[in-house]
Structures are given as structure tokens and as C-alpha cells.
């Protein structure tokens, strides 16, 4: 996936770059199901600003840059936003941070080199399923499960690529997966240095570890983007192109994308934490 693809499901935080309470963000078993989360979010609808009102540039900007820790994270983070942006005539540029080669580390018959090739093909087929102009794609080939130790290299690469008028989307810097968190930190730092005014961070694994109304989540900065029905159908179809993540990894080994993640990907909204400019 994007979600867990950087390591076995129980893998938690690398020491490098992890904050003091990182161990509390367990992502192995969801605290709440997708239906409970969505009902709670719907109850907060009055307090959740639409993304198009809070950050109108998210749709109208010339370029949307999506920093994806693993193949398929671009869909899990912002499969709807990419389509809405492209429909307005904007360009989409995806930065593939890793090749997702470690998601089957405990599965026989999946050497990293083979899995990396498979996942690169799944990414391309998934993006084609969105039926929008092909995004630009920059692959950095950083180690899956090892983004935090390479965080400075990621930050420098992003700083060279980003431009002041961009809107940038990535995973939340407290998401619960070490690669996701490293991408959140590096992207925010690079965007600030490059003069990018709008950075959106999408919770992906956070829905696993957080509690309803969890004070560790900055709900006041959470915005939502409602789905066009056809966009949601295309997002789900695109995600199914990532078969290596949606099917069991091997005998007795569950899929990387579990039922909770797939159910959340079917929500008629996407949610983003708006990071303030420096």
C-alpha cells in the first residue's frame, strides 16, 4: 500500500526522528472502525471547514505536488483531491519517496527487487484508473521502512523540486508509520524553505491509533473535501489496481491494506490537516 507498505504490519517507529511519545501511536489494530469514525466526523460537520473554503488554492493552484511515502499513498491521501485539481486544469506532480519494497518482508517469494517492480507497475495502473491527465512522477528510491534516517536527503530533494506557487500534500507528521511521519516532517521543512504557502497533511494510519476527539489530533485545523460520486468510484477502482497490497501476502499473512483502511478509502470525503505557513 502506501499505508503499511514500508514494513511488516507490526513495525513501529525508527529511532531517528521519532518524538518522545511515538510509541503511543500503535497502528497494528484500529481503536475504532471506519463507520464509527465517519459517524463522528459527520457529527462534527459544522466545525469542519470545507477545504475549498479554508484553502481555495488546493483546487485552484497551478500545481499540486503529492509526496507519497509508498506507492498507493497518493490515492489514500488525496485520490479525490488530485481528480478535482486536474479537472480545474491544474498539473499534478507525484513524488514517490520509496518503492514499497518492504511490505512483504515476511512473505515467501517476494524479494524486494521483484516487489519494487510490481508496485511501480501498480502505481502506474492505479493512476491510469483515475482517468485524468498523467501526473508527472519523480521517484526517489529511498529505502522502504528507512525514510527517517534519510530524512535530510528527502528534505533537500523536495526543496529543489518545490516552487512557491505549489500546493503540497503528504502524510501527517504524527501519522503512526515511521515513513509517513518522516515524509510529513521533511515535506513541511522543505516547503517552508522553498516559500510554499500551503501544505496539507493527510491522516492515514492516524485513524488506527487515535481515539474519537483525541486531543493529540489538531481537529481545529482539519478540513474536508467532499467527493464527486464518479471521483470516488475511480479512486476505489484505482486502489484495487494495487493488488499486492489488497490481497493476502502469503499463506496466513493478511493483506497490507486491511478492511479498516479500505473502508476509509470508501468515505465520500477526504480529510487534511492544514499546516500553517511559518
Amino acid at each position: 500500500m502506501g499505508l503499511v507498505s514500508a514494513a511488516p504490519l507490526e513495525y513501529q517507529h525508527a529511532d531517528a526522528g521519532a518524538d518522545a511519545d511515538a510509541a503511543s501511536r500503535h497502528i497494528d489494530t484500529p481503536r475504532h472502525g471506519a463507520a464509527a469514525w465517519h459517524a463522528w466526523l459527520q457529527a462534527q460537520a459544522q466545525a469542519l471547514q470545507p477545504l475549498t473554503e479554508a484553502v481555495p488554492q488546493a483546487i485552484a493552484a497551478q500545481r499540486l505536488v503529492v509526496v507519497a511515502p509508498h506507492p498507493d499513498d497518493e490515492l489514500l491521501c488525496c485520490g479525490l483531491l488530485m481528480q478535482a485539481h486536474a479537472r480545474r486544469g491544474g498539473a499534478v506532480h507525484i513524488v514517490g519517496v520509496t518503492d514499497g519494497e518492504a511490505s512483504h518482508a515476511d512473505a515467501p517469494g517476494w524479494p524486494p527487487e521483484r516487489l519494487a517492480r510490481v508496485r511501480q507497475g501498480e502505481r502506474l495502473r492505479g493512476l491510469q484508473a483515475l482517468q485524468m491527465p498523467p501526473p508527472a512522477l519523480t521517484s526517489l528510491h529511498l529505502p522502504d521502512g528507512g525514510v527517517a534516517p534519510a530524512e535530510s536527503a528527502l528534505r533537500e530533494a523536495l526543496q529543489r523540486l518545490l516552487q512557491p506557487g505549489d500546493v503540497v500534500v503528504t502524510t501527517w507528521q504524527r501519522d503512526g508509520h515511521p515513513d509517513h511521519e518522516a515524509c510529513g516532517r521533511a515535506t513541511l521543512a522543505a516547503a517552508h524553505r522553498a516559500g510554499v504557502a500551503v501544505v496539507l497533511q493527510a491522516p492515514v494510519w492516524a485513524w488506527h491509533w487515535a481515539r474519537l476527539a483525541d486531543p493529540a489530533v489538531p481537529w481545529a485545523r482539519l478540513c474536508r473535501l467532499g467527493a464527486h460520486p464518479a471521483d470516488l468510484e475511480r479512486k476505489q477502482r484505482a486502489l484495487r489496481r494495487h493488488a499486492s497490497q489488497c490481497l493476502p501476502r502469503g499463506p496466513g499473512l493478511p493483506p497490507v491494506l486491511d478492511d479498516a483502511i479500505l473502508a476509509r478509502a470508501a468515505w465520500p470525503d477526504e480529510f487534511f490537516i492544514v499546516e500553517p505557513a511559518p
Side-chain angles (χ1 to χ4, degrees), residues 8 39 88 110 126 177 204 224 237 240 268 271:
R88 285 284 299 265
W110 285 101
H177 189 296
V204 179
R224 65 177 183 86
R237 186 185 311 137
R240 291 194 294 271
F271 296 91

Side-chain angles (χ1 to χ4, degrees), residues 163-179:
Q163 302 168 5
D166 293 337
V167 168
V168 186
V169 183
T170 190
T171 44
W172 185 33
Q173 59 191 329
R174 292 174 56 83
D175 198 41
H177 189 296
D179 287 351

Side-chain angles (χ1 to χ4, degrees), residues 78-95:
C78 57
L80 302 177
L81 177 57
M82 288 193 296
Q83 293 178 77
H85 181 78
R87 193 160 43 245
R88 285 284 299 265
V92 177
H93 192 131
I94 295 172
V95 180

Side-chain angles (χ1 to χ4, degrees), residues 12-274:
Q12 291 296 314
H13 295 262
D15 291 337
D19 53 279
D21 65 341
S24 68
R25 299 195 288 277
H26 297 290
I27 60 175
D28 50 352
T29 304
R31 293 184 187 274
H32 306 290
W37 265 120
H38 198 253
W40 184 83
L41 289 164
Q42 291 297 100
Q44 315 307 312
Q46 295 283 348
L48 291 180
Q49 228 180 336
L51 182 67
T52 51
E53 293 179 11
V55 189
Q57 307 99 304
I59 301 295
Q62 183 175 355
R63 188 170 72 153
L64 180 73
V65 179
V66 182
V67 181
H70 316 100
D72 81 0
D73 274 325
E74 62 272 13
L75 300 175
L76 294 164
C77 284
C78 57
L80 302 177
L81 177 57
M82 288 193 296
Q83 293 178 77
H85 181 78
R87 193 160 43 245
R88 285 284 299 265
V92 177
H93 192 131
I94 295 172
V95 180
V97 177
T98 80
D99 297 327
E101 71 277 4
S103 68
H104 289 45
D106 54 350
W110 285 101
E113 297 81 6
R114 177 192 173 202
L115 186 56
R117 291 194 299 272
V118 167
R119 299 201 65 189
Q120 288 165 0
E122 290 173 344
R123 163 172 272 156
L124 295 177
R125 291 189 293 276
L127 292 171
Q128 289 169 354
L130 294 180
Q131 297 180 350
M132 64 184 217
L137 175 61
T138 297
S139 297
L140 300 181
H141 308 293
L142 294 183
D144 187 4
V147 178
E151 195 169 322
S152 60
L154 173 58
R155 184 174 60 249
E156 291 169 7
L158 292 174
Q159 192 173 340
R160 291 192 295 269
L161 182 145
L162 296 176
Q163 302 168 5
D166 293 337
V167 168
V168 186
V169 183
T170 190
T171 44
W172 185 33
Q173 59 191 329
R174 292 174 56 83
D175 198 41
H177 189 296
D179 287 351
H180 286 214
E181 297 196 355
C183 285
R185 292 189 301 267
T187 300
L188 189 58
H192 287 172
R193 293 179 184 180
V196 173
V198 180
V199 177
L200 306 175
Q201 296 198 342
V204 179
W205 282 112
W207 306 111
H208 262 51
W209 63 258
R211 293 180 172 85
L212 303 179
D214 198 316
V217 179
W219 302 111
R221 292 190 280 116
L222 192 74
C223 295
R224 65 177 183 86
L225 176 71
H228 186 288
D231 288 352
L232 181 58
E233 182 180 344
R234 282 189 290 266
K235 175 181 174 176
Q236 293 179 281
R237 186 185 311 137
L239 199 55
R240 291 194 294 271
R241 299 295 189 270
H242 292 262
S244 70
Q245 308 299 289
C246 295
L247 299 175
R249 291 168 292 148
L253 297 173
V256 172
L257 294 180
D258 63 17
D259 290 344
I261 296 167
L262 293 177
R264 293 195 298 262
W267 284 349
D269 310 274
E270 287 177 339
F271 296 91
F272 303 94
I273 296 168
V274 181

